[in-house]
Amino acid sequence: MWKPLLLSIQIAGSATIVSLIAGVVIAALLSRWRNPIAGALDAFVTLPMVLPPTVLGYFLLVFWGAQSPVGQFLDQIGLPLVFTWRGAALAASVVALPLVVLSSRAAFDAVDPSLRDVARTLGRSELSIFLSITLPLGWRGVLSGGILAFARALGEFGATLMVASNIPGKTQTLPLAIYDAVQSGNQSEANLLALGLTLTAIILILAFRRLGTTIVGGRAHE
Amino acid sequence: MSDFRLRIKFEIQYHEFTLRPDFEAGAELIVIFGPSGAGKSLTLRALAGLVKPLKGKIRLGKNVIFDSEKEIDLPPQRRNVGYVPQNYALFPHRSIAENIGFGLHSLSRTKRDHRVQELLSTMRLEKEAERKPNEISGGQQQRVALARALATRPALLLLDEPLGALDEPIREHLRNEIKDIQKRYQIPVVLVTHNLAEAYTLADKLVVIESGEVAQSGSRDEVFRRPHTPSVAKLMGMDNVFEGIVEPRAEDHALISWEGFLLRTEGLSSLPERKLVLFGIRPEELELLSPTQTSTDSTENLIPCLVINTLSRGADHALTCMVNTPEGLSSAWTLRIPHRQFIESGLTVGQEAMLRVAPSAIHIFPEQ
């Protein structure tokens, strides 16, 4: 019971950090660019949200599996992704990425553009403007994106199963453990695990709602 | 004193709308005036480097900040231009002092603090230094925005409708403040407004923009009293514009006939006789005499009329008078009469009266 829980938190936590960092950078670029490349990037990043997780997991497996150049390189430096918790975390972060991007981008877009205009005339670089204005005013959107990402990563099943398999103590997360418990007829363990996950979900929803009511901050008043 | 001459001439496309600002100015208060949607704000944004003109040139003193032919387009960061947008755009998460010091990131801490202190005290914001923008009044917010723009010692200050959102007494006060700032810093200040009274009180130089084109630019009084076209005249509040005919000069003065009335004017010497001309008279330059007051010795420049409407505007009254011409046409004239004078004249709607047109009040439009 405890091993899958800890593993789940470890994987979902790492996935959240990775998707937050990548998602904020992508959201910042998307909220500035207005060109076909941005459109393509936007579509590409949103893809994991509409693609079935197993298909996504399959693509990732092909991309960084032992047969691919990426996989061989990772093998050589001793950091293989297939059948490891790192692989599971990376898969979960890809699945969670669109949530961070959408939420952060909406928050960045809601920041009054004239603030950035004034900052430009005051000699501030684009990076400095992002760090000192856009990000501090849009942090609620970033944070709620992070919460959604954590929740999504915690519940990840399909893509994780594809890239990391279901190895108890190594890559078996809570959802996979529940599946195993049900398969082997272990009703009481399945109940316990399901209850744990449900409670976590409720806590996350409460946290999200607290932020959600104030998500469009960053205008003139907070 | 360094050269702060501002020369702009560029063309910019915005949706289906082409804007062609074209004027020159020195270290003075330049008011860009025009109806809403004429492209005034866009002109400021182009000067700040926030939008790029299609072609043209912008010079500020010795520096060319934009030149499409030489492919010069300095980014806003390097133009050294102070910009205050319509909503002030104060950073809501930063204190007043931090807002003012925002453009001083390259200065040392002591220098920065010193300059921020200096501006806080000139703008009388010392008590507000640690507050957030939403905790201070609208007038104070505007002063913070001005201080922030001035902190970097800009060579040009751009103000977009700076007084639009403020209450009347604060407006009055800030108008003086803006004039003082221009005098103290001795830089060109370009201010955009669609409020005529504001344009008049603030401007040294007035640039009238109409559907993207500079309709006229010049000193304030030149534009206000000597508009080039009837449409500029309308924008400047010169409501009475009519067509007359140049008559042979009598003795030492020029004459125009308008609908059978002879009006004595000044100027006109270069215009050939019998030529059609447009002339205009500002409503506050007309006098209206009640029948009892018309016992004046001269009947010169008097036009009989009927008062058809009066509207009190507080300090003065706007009157509309209908003139019945000998040819049987009617034409409406508008006037403004100070409150005291209006009460004493006892003029009411439906009353016969006499319009008196001072010869110097008649502005003859240049030929089109």
Side-chain angles (χ1 to χ4, degrees):
Chain A
M1 153 80 199
W2 292 113
K3 190 65 196 173
L5 178 68
L6 289 177
L7 204 56
S8 266
I9 290 170
Q10 181 187 356
I11 287 173
S14 328
T16 306
I17 292 166
V18 172
S19 62
L20 264 179
I21 293 169
V24 164
V25 172
I26 292 168
L29 294 176
L30 288 181
S31 85
R32 278 183 42 76
W33 291 351
R34 295 282 178 271
N35 57 32
I37 301 169
L41 180 64
D42 194 8
F44 185 70
V45 173
T46 325
L47 201 58
M49 210 154 77
V50 284
L51 216 55
T54 35
V55 177
L56 184 72
Y58 175 70
F59 286 153
L60 290 175
L61 197 59
V62 171
F63 175 64
W64 69 49
Q67 268 75 54
S68 77
V70 178
Q72 281 161 9
F73 170 75
L74 289 170
D75 256 350
Q76 270 177 7
I77 61 169
L79 283 171
L81 290 172
V82 183
F83 302 136
T84 65
W85 76 268
R86 283 187 304 275
L90 218 50
S93 58
V94 172
V95 172
L97 185 66
L99 299 167
V100 178
V101 173
L102 287 177
S103 177
S104 310
R105 188 182 165 182
F108 297 159
D109 284 348
V111 174
D112 183 352
S114 65
L115 300 182
R116 289 189 285 262
D117 281 346
V118 167
R120 285 183 192 116
T121 65
L122 292 171
R124 289 295 190 100
S125 70
E126 296 299 324
L127 180 64
S128 152
I129 292 170
F130 177 74
L131 294 176
S132 61
I133 294 170
T134 315
L135 192 57
L137 290 175
W139 68 271
R140 285 196 179 85
V142 175
L143 196 60
S144 56
I147 292 175
L148 286 177
F150 185 76
R152 181 67 187 81
L154 204 59
E156 223 311 293
F157 186 88
T160 314
L161 192 62
M162 285 303 263
V163 300
S165 189
N166 182 6
I167 308 162
K170 207 174 158 211
T171 63
Q172 191 184 63
T173 58
L174 271 177
L176 293 171
I178 293 173
Y179 177 76
D180 255 13
V182 173
Q183 285 290 298
S184 55
N186 194 342
Q187 187 87 39
S188 61
E189 193 182 332
N191 282 344
L192 198 64
L193 293 170
L195 190 68
L197 261 186
T198 309
L199 277 175
T200 321
I202 290 171
I203 292 167
L204 290 176
I205 284 176
L206 290 177
F208 181 75
R209 283 185 56 147
R210 252 186 88 81
L211 280 170
T213 51
T214 46
I215 192 167
V216 252
R219 283 276 172 180
H221 39 75
E222 285 186 62
Chain B
M1 182 103 312
S2 43
D3 170 24
F4 277 124
R5 199 144 187 87
L6 173 68
R7 295 182 187 84
I8 77 171
K9 183 186 170 78
F10 60 82
E11 188 178 314
I12 188 166
Q13 199 88 31
Y14 186 68
H15 296 309
E16 264 126 68
F17 177 80
T18 313
L19 178 69
R20 289 189 197 85
D22 177 1
F23 61 87
E24 274 194 50
E28 56 191 333
L29 225 160
I30 304 122
V31 171
I32 300 185
F33 175 79
S36 303
K40 305 183 297 288
S41 299
L42 194 61
T43 306
L44 287 196
R45 292 176 57 76
L47 287 176
L50 298 166
V51 285
K52 190 179 170 181
L54 282 177
K55 56 184 179 191
K57 200 167 174 176
I58 305 172
R59 284 184 63 124
L60 180 55
K62 286 183 283 298
N63 305 318
V64 176
I65 56 178
F66 178 80
D67 187 341
S68 54
E69 274 166 32
K70 290 182 188 149
E71 291 185 2
I72 298 171
D73 180 18
L74 288 189
Q77 283 88 347
R78 289 179 46 214
R79 290 199 177 189
N80 194 20
V81 163
Y83 173 56
V84 179
Q86 219 166 355
N87 60 359
Y88 319 145
L90 299 180
F91 307 123
H93 57 307
R94 300 283 188 120
S95 73
I96 299 313
E98 285 171 334
N99 263 276
I100 295 174
F102 196 79
L104 304 176
H105 49 284
S106 53
L107 293 188
S108 73
R109 216 197 146 74
T110 32
K111 270 195 181 153
R112 184 169 55 209
D113 287 350
H114 182 245
R115 200 174 295 176
V116 169
Q117 276 312 317
E118 200 180 278
L119 280 158
L120 281 169
S121 88
T122 21
M123 292 292 180
R124 297 183 317 284
L125 289 162
E126 294 109 319
K127 291 202 195 85
E128 270 56 60
E130 295 313 314
R131 292 195 170 173
K132 291 281 171 66
N134 64 347
E135 296 166 346
I136 61 176
S137 73
Q140 288 171 328
Q141 288 178 2
Q142 178 59 276
R143 295 213 298 274
V144 175
L146 284 169
R148 182 179 60 182
L150 290 166
T152 54
R153 306 259 159 94
L156 169 67
L157 182 62
L158 306 171
L159 309 174
D160 196 351
E161 301 269 0
L163 310 175
L166 300 171
D167 295 337
E168 191 50 40
I170 304 166
R171 257 172 204 247
E172 183 76 40
H173 198 84
L174 265 163
R175 265 181 218 161
N176 294 329
E177 199 128 7
I178 290 170
K179 286 191 99 117
D180 287 348
I181 285 171
Q182 195 282 317
K183 290 208 182 73
R184 190 170 338 129
Y185 288 82
Q186 283 299 313
I187 53 171
V189 175
V190 182
L191 182 148
V192 150
T193 181
H194 63 261
N195 178 325
L196 182 60
E198 198 168 294
Y200 189 76
T201 21
L202 285 167
D204 295 318
K205 187 188 175 79
L206 201 51
V207 178
V208 181
I209 292 197
E210 232 183 329
S211 54
E213 305 279 346
V214 173
Q216 188 172 350
S217 72
S219 80
R220 174 187 73 177
D221 285 293
E222 188 186 316
V223 178
F224 199 71
R225 309 213 174 265
R226 300 270 169 261
H228 287 341
T229 65
S231 78
V232 173
K234 276 265 170 331
L235 286 174
M236 291 292 113
M238 186 181 269
D239 292 331
N240 304 297
V241 176
F242 302 105
E243 195 178 57
I245 297 167
V246 181
E247 293 290 333
R249 291 175 73 86
E251 295 157 29
D252 61 333
H253 51 256
L255 289 170
I256 296 182
S257 76
W258 172 75
E259 305 291 359
F261 297 102
L262 268 186
L263 296 172
R264 203 176 124 178
T265 73
E266 292 178 348
L268 264 190
S269 54
S270 62
L271 289 170
E273 284 169 22
R274 309 310 304 167
K275 185 165 174 55
L276 280 174
V277 285
L278 282 172
F279 64 96
I281 302 148
R282 300 198 57 86
E284 69 272 15
E285 302 236 47
L286 282 169
E287 273 182 282
L288 194 62
L289 309 174
S290 61
T292 51
Q293 290 173 291
T294 40
S295 56
T296 34
D297 43 1
S298 146
T299 55
E300 208 171 54
N301 285 14
L302 287 179
I303 303 173
C305 69
L306 184 70
V307 179
I308 59 164
N309 192 27
T310 68
L311 175 71
S312 173
R313 293 160 25 103
D316 61 10
H317 295 254
L319 276 73
T320 313
C321 292
M322 200 56 106
V323 176
N324 290 309
T325 66
E327 278 102 52
L329 292 164
S330 353
S331 132
W333 290 57
T334 53
L335 318 81
R336 288 235 212 299
I337 298 179
H339 180 68
R340 190 75 243 159
Q341 206 178 315
F342 177 76
I343 298 296
E344 281 168 2
S345 71
L347 285 162
T348 52
V349 173
Q351 203 172 5
E352 304 267 353
M354 279 287 180
L355 275 171
R356 181 152 69 189
V357 189
S360 62
I362 300 178
H363 162 61
I364 314 281
F365 287 96
E367 282 182 85
Q368 294 304 299

